[in-house]
Coordinates of all heavy atoms in Angstrom, one line a residue:
L209 N -50.5 48.3 18.5 CA -49.4 47.4 18.1 C -48.5 48.0 17.0 O -48.9 48.3 15.9 CB -50.0 46.1 17.5 CG -49.0 45.0 17.2 CD1 -48.1 44.6 18.4 CD2 -49.7 43.7 16.6
P210 N -47.3 48.4 17.4 CA -46.4 49.1 16.5 C -46.3 48.4 15.1 O -46.0 47.1 15.1 CB -45.0 49.1 17.2 CG -45.4 49.0 18.6 CD -46.6 48.1 18.7
G211 N -46.4 49.1 14.0 CA -46.3 48.6 12.7 C -47.5 47.9 12.1 O -47.5 47.6 10.9
L212 N -48.6 47.7 12.9 CA -49.7 47.0 12.4 C -50.5 47.9 11.4 O -50.9 47.4 10.3 CB -50.7 46.6 13.5 CG -51.9 45.8 13.1 CD1 -51.6 44.6 12.3 CD2 -52.7 45.4 14.3
S213 N -50.7 49.1 11.7 CA -51.4 50.0 10.8 C -50.7 50.1 9.4 O -51.3 50.1 8.4 CB -51.7 51.4 11.4 OG -52.5 51.3 12.5
D214 N -49.4 50.2 9.5 CA -48.6 50.3 8.3 C -48.6 49.0 7.5 O -48.7 49.1 6.3 CB -47.1 50.6 8.7 CG -46.9 52.1 9.2 OD1 -47.8 52.9 9.0 OD2 -45.9 52.3 9.9
A215 N -48.6 47.9 8.2 CA -48.6 46.6 7.5 C -50.0 46.4 6.8 O -50.0 45.9 5.7 CB -48.4 45.5 8.5
L216 N -51.1 46.9 7.4 CA -52.4 46.8 6.8 C -52.5 47.7 5.5 O -53.4 47.5 4.7 CB -53.5 47.1 7.8 CG -53.7 46.1 8.9 CD1 -54.7 46.6 9.9 CD2 -54.2 44.8 8.3
R217 N -51.7 48.7 5.5 CA -51.7 49.6 4.3 C -50.6 49.1 3.3 O -50.4 49.8 2.2 CB -51.4 51.0 4.7 CG -52.5 51.7 5.5 CD -52.3 53.2 5.6 NE -51.2 53.5 6.4 CZ -51.3 53.8 7.7 NH1 -52.5 53.7 8.3 NH2 -50.2 54.2 8.4
G218 N -49.9 48.0 3.6 CA -49.0 47.5 2.6 C -47.6 48.1 2.7 O -46.7 47.8 1.9
F219 N -47.3 48.9 3.8 CA -46.0 49.4 3.9 C -45.0 48.4 4.4 O -45.4 47.4 5.0 CB -46.0 50.6 4.9 CG -46.8 51.8 4.4 CD1 -47.4 52.7 5.3 CD2 -47.0 52.0 3.0 CE1 -48.2 53.7 4.8 CE2 -47.7 53.1 2.6 CZ -48.3 53.9 3.5
P220 N -43.7 48.6 4.2 CA -42.7 47.6 4.7 C -42.8 47.4 6.2 O -43.2 48.3 7.0 CB -41.3 48.3 4.4 CG -41.7 49.2 3.2 CD -43.1 49.7 3.5
P221 N -42.5 46.2 6.7 CA -42.7 45.9 8.1 C -41.7 46.6 9.0 O -40.6 46.9 8.6 CB -42.5 44.4 8.1 CG -41.6 44.1 7.0 CD -42.0 45.1 5.9
V222 N -42.1 46.8 10.3 CA -41.2 47.3 11.3 C -40.3 46.2 11.8 O -40.8 45.1 12.1 CB -42.0 47.9 12.4 CG1 -41.1 48.3 13.6 CG2 -42.8 49.1 11.9
P223 N -39.0 46.4 11.9 CA -38.2 45.3 12.5 C -38.6 44.8 13.8 O -39.1 45.6 14.6 CB -36.8 45.9 12.6 CG -36.8 47.0 11.5 CD -38.2 47.5 11.5
S224 N -38.5 43.5 14.1 CA -39.0 43.0 15.3 C -38.3 43.6 16.6 O -38.9 43.8 17.6 CB -38.7 41.4 15.3 OG -39.0 40.9 16.6
R225 N -37.0 44.0 16.4 CA -36.3 44.6 17.6 C -36.9 45.9 18.0 O -36.6 46.4 19.1 CB -34.8 44.7 17.3 CG -34.5 45.7 16.1 CD -33.0 45.7 15.8 NE -32.7 46.6 14.8 CZ -32.7 46.3 13.5 NH1 -33.1 45.1 13.1 NH2 -32.4 47.2 12.5
W226 N -37.7 46.5 17.1 CA -38.3 47.8 17.4 C -39.7 47.6 18.2 O -40.3 48.6 18.6 CB -38.6 48.6 16.2 CG -37.3 49.1 15.5 CD1 -36.0 48.8 15.9 CD2 -37.2 50.0 14.4 NE1 -35.1 49.4 15.0 CE2 -35.8 50.2 14.1 CE3 -38.2 50.6 13.6 CZ2 -35.4 51.0 13.0 CZ3 -37.7 51.4 12.5 CH2 -36.4 51.6 12.3
I227 N -40.1 46.4 18.3 CA -41.4 46.2 18.9 C -41.2 45.7 20.3 O -40.5 44.7 20.6 CB -42.2 45.1 18.1 CG1 -42.5 45.5 16.7 CG2 -43.6 44.8 18.8 CD1 -43.2 44.5 15.9
A248 N -42.0 39.7 19.0 CA -43.2 39.7 18.0 C -42.7 40.2 16.7 O -41.7 41.0 16.6 CB -44.3 40.6 18.5
V249 N -43.3 39.7 15.6 CA -43.1 40.1 14.2 C -44.4 40.6 13.6 O -45.4 39.9 13.8 CB -42.5 39.0 13.4 CG1 -42.5 39.3 11.9 CG2 -41.1 38.7 13.9
V250 N -44.4 41.7 13.0 CA -45.6 42.2 12.3 C -45.2 42.4 10.8 O -44.3 43.2 10.6 CB -46.2 43.5 12.9 CG1 -47.4 44.0 12.1 CG2 -46.5 43.3 14.4
T251 N -45.9 41.7 9.9 CA -45.5 41.8 8.5 C -46.8 41.9 7.7 O -47.8 41.2 8.0 CB -44.6 40.6 8.1 OG1 -44.2 40.8 6.7 CG2 -45.4 39.3 8.2
P252 N -46.8 42.6 6.6 CA -48.0 42.7 5.7 C -48.2 41.4 5.0 O -47.3 40.6 4.8 CB -47.7 43.8 4.8 CG -46.2 44.0 4.8 CD -45.7 43.5 6.1
L253 N -49.4 41.2 4.6 CA -49.8 40.1 3.7 C -50.1 40.7 2.4 O -51.2 41.1 2.1 CB -51.0 39.3 4.3 CG -50.8 38.5 5.6 CD1 -52.2 38.1 6.2 CD2 -50.0 37.3 5.3
P254 N -49.1 40.7 1.5 CA -49.3 41.4 0.2 C -50.4 40.7 -0.6 O -50.5 39.5 -0.7 CB -48.0 41.3 -0.5 CG -47.0 41.0 0.6 CD -47.8 40.2 1.6
G261 N -54.1 41.9 4.3 CA -54.2 41.9 5.7 C -52.8 42.0 6.3 O -51.8 42.4 5.7
A262 N -52.6 41.5 7.5 CA -51.3 41.5 8.2 C -51.2 40.2 9.0 O -52.2 39.6 9.5 CB -51.2 42.7 9.1
L263 N -49.9 39.8 9.2 CA -49.6 38.6 10.0 C -48.8 39.0 11.2 O -47.8 39.7 11.1 CB -48.8 37.6 9.1 CG -48.2 36.4 9.8 CD1 -49.3 35.5 10.4 CD2 -47.3 35.6 8.9
V264 N -49.3 38.6 12.4 CA -48.6 38.9 13.6 C -48.1 37.5 14.2 O -48.9 36.6 14.4 CB -49.5 39.5 14.6 CG1 -48.8 39.8 15.9 CG2 -50.1 40.8 14.1
L265 N -46.8 37.4 14.4 CA -46.1 36.2 15.0 C -45.7 36.5 16.4 O -45.1 37.6 16.6 CB -44.9 35.8 14.1 CG -45.2 35.5 12.6 CD1 -43.9 35.1 11.9 CD2 -46.2 34.3 12.5
T275 N -34.7 36.2 14.8 CA -33.5 36.7 14.2 C -33.9 37.4 12.9 O -35.0 37.3 12.4 CB -32.6 35.6 13.9 OG1 -33.1 34.7 12.9 CG2 -32.2 34.8 15.1
E276 N -33.0 38.2 12.3 CA -33.2 38.9 11.1 C -33.5 37.9 9.9 O -34.4 38.1 9.1 CB -32.0 39.7 10.7 CG -32.2 40.5 9.4 CD -31.0 41.4 9.2 OE1 -30.1 41.6 10.0 OE2 -31.0 42.0 8.1
E278 N -35.0 34.9 10.3 CA -36.3 34.4 10.5 C -37.4 35.4 10.1 O -38.4 35.1 9.6 CB -36.5 34.0 12.0 CG -35.7 32.8 12.4 CD -35.7 32.5 13.9 OE1 -35.8 33.5 14.6 OE2 -35.7 31.3 14.2
E279 N -37.1 36.7 10.3 CA -38.0 37.7 9.9 C -38.1 37.8 8.4 O -39.2 37.9 7.8 CB -37.6 39.1 10.4 CG -37.7 39.3 11.9 CD -37.4 40.7 12.3 OE1 -38.0 41.7 11.8 OE2 -36.5 40.9 13.2
T280 N -37.0 37.6 7.7 CA -37.0 37.6 6.2 C -37.8 36.4 5.7 O -38.6 36.5 4.8 CB -35.6 37.5 5.7 OG1 -34.8 38.7 6.2 CG2 -35.6 37.5 4.2
F281 N -37.6 35.2 6.4 CA -38.4 34.1 6.0 C -39.9 34.2 6.2 O -40.7 33.8 5.4 CB -37.8 32.8 6.7 CG -38.5 31.6 6.3 CD1 -38.4 31.0 5.0 CD2 -39.3 30.9 7.2 CE1 -39.0 29.9 4.7 CE2 -39.9 29.7 6.9 CZ -39.8 29.2 5.6
A282 N -40.2 34.9 7.3 CA -41.6 35.1 7.6 C -42.2 36.0 6.6 O -43.4 35.8 6.2 CB -41.7 35.8 9.0
R283 N -41.5 37.0 6.0 CA -42.0 37.8 5.0 C -42.2 37.0 3.7 O -43.2 37.2 2.9 CB -41.1 39.0 4.7 CG -41.1 40.0 5.9 CD -40.5 41.3 5.4 NE -39.1 41.2 5.2 CZ -38.1 41.4 6.1 NH1 -38.5 41.7 7.3 NH2 -36.9 41.3 5.8
L284 N -41.3 36.0 3.4 CA -41.5 35.2 2.2 C -42.8 34.4 2.4 O -43.6 34.2 1.4 CB -40.3 34.2 2.1 CG -39.0 34.9 1.6 CD1 -37.9 33.9 1.6 CD2 -39.2 35.5 0.2
A286 N -45.4 35.2 4.2 CA -46.5 36.1 4.2 C -46.8 36.5 2.8 O -48.0 36.7 2.5 CB -46.2 37.3 5.0
S287 N -45.8 36.6 1.9 CA -46.1 37.0 0.5 C -47.0 35.9 -0.2 O -47.9 36.2 -0.9 CB -44.8 37.2 -0.2 OG -44.1 36.0 -0.3

Side-chain angles (χ1 to χ4, degrees):
L209 184 57
L212 181 56
S213 295
D214 291 339
L216 288 171
R217 291 194 291 268
F219 295 152
V222 172
S224 176
R225 63 181 181 276
W226 292 5
I227 302 176
V249 168
V250 179
T251 184
L253 292 166
L263 171 64
V264 180
L265 301 177
T275 65
E276 184 176 350
E278 289 173 328
E279 290 185 56
T280 302
F281 181 66
R283 290 196 292 271
L284 290 175
S287 66

